[in-house]
Amino acid sequence: MVGLFAIYLICLFLIFWRKSNAAFCLVILNLILSFLMLLYHSKDALNIRL
Amino acid sequence: MVQLQKILNALFIFVLSFVLIAAYFYQYLKHEEPCPLCLLQRLGMIGIATAIFMNLRFGIKPQHYALAILSALVARLVSLRQIGLHVCPDFPTFGEPVFGYDLYVWALLVFSCSIFACAALLILYGFFKNLNYEPTWGLLEKSAFALLVLITSANIITTLLE
């Protein structure tokens, strides 16, 4: 979870340094990771076996 | 009109930051520690604010609004999951309600309003997209950046300490 926040912090600094493509990709990556985190925390309800 | 869009985008960031600061108020003054789903919702708000901040730094583009809408949609799923966990009658809720609603219900409202706000800002952008816009780095942009960095860093530290 700390890593997801850290990725957003890196994103903010990439935006500050005008690296728009890198920041965009990192935000998309974070969205995918957040969704996977949600699935992980819901694995019992959704009957997902890891 | 370009200045108006800039101000509205900055206001969007300040409102989301205020919501996140209010969450800290509940964490430390009411002693309500956030669960993993609460942290994912905070992450969603930071995601929306980051996408809107791209408008201030790189110029207003529909892709940035699309990113904000995607962040809001993913975070809405998290809120709905948390609401689903506590919606049954006689099942205890998580945390104290605020003005009658739990914080995860308020989060769902915030994300829904964010989607509407992005749609409204996109309509505004559509009317004036032919105007030349050179992004600046003034007080508004600097304060939005500083606030976002502060809130994200605070979230990193408090999550580590938890």
Side-chain angles (χ1 to χ4, degrees):
Chain A
M1 201 66 81
V2 173
L4 295 177
F5 283 113
I7 289 173
Y8 271 128
L9 190 64
I10 293 167
C11 260
L12 286 168
F13 281 105
L14 284 173
I15 295 168
F16 175 69
W17 288 317
R18 293 191 157 271
K19 309 283 180 205
S20 65
N21 293 331
F24 205 89
C25 292
L26 272 186
V27 174
I28 301 252
L29 172 73
N30 227 355
L31 286 178
I32 294 168
L33 290 175
S34 303
F35 184 70
L36 290 174
M37 205 55 139
L38 171 64
L39 286 182
Y40 173 75
H41 284 290
S42 311
K43 66 181 188 303
D44 293 331
L46 297 170
N47 242 352
I48 298 169
R49 282 191 211 101
L50 293 172
Chain B
M1 268 307 159
V2 168
Q3 188 68 12
L4 172 67
Q5 287 180 74
K6 217 168 65 163
I7 290 169
L8 288 174
N9 274 281
L11 190 65
F12 199 162
I13 294 172
F14 292 140
V15 166
L16 286 170
S17 304
F18 169 73
V19 171
L20 286 163
I21 291 167
Y24 268 108
F25 167 78
Y26 273 93
Q27 182 174 342
Y28 287 107
L29 291 180
K30 302 262 182 173
H31 304 291
E32 291 184 7
E33 298 291 324
C35 63
L37 289 178
C38 304
L39 291 173
L40 279 175
Q41 287 166 75
R42 287 187 189 185
L43 201 72
M45 289 187 201
I46 293 172
I48 298 168
T50 305
I52 298 298
F53 180 65
M54 285 185 186
N55 276 333
L56 295 180
R57 188 68 172 142
F58 303 127
I60 294 167
K61 290 178 184 163
Q63 296 94 305
H64 302 153
Y65 288 125
L67 212 51
I69 289 170
L70 280 173
S71 293
L73 284 172
V74 171
R76 273 199 72 191
L77 287 175
V78 180
S79 300
L80 283 169
R81 165 68 183 149
Q82 195 162 11
I83 290 169
L85 280 171
H86 299 282
V87 79
C88 295
D90 303 326
F91 198 86
T93 56
F94 187 81
E96 267 183 50
V98 176
F99 300 121
Y101 293 117
D102 294 299
L103 286 179
Y104 37 87
V105 177
W106 282 114
L108 181 72
L109 287 171
V110 165
F111 297 130
S112 305
C113 289
S114 298
I115 293 170
F116 279 117
C118 287
L121 288 167
L122 269 168
I123 291 169
L124 193 63
Y125 165 80
F127 282 128
F128 302 104
K129 65 180 174 195
N130 293 325
L131 291 175
N132 285 331
Y133 169 54
E134 196 56 49
T136 54
W137 189 242
L139 182 64
L140 207 59
E141 292 83 4
K142 285 178 190 169
S143 49
F145 177 67
L147 199 54
L148 277 176
V149 167
L150 192 68
I151 285 168
T152 312
S153 312
N155 272 291
I156 290 172
I157 293 165
T158 51
T159 311
L160 262 174
L161 292 174
E162 240 183 66

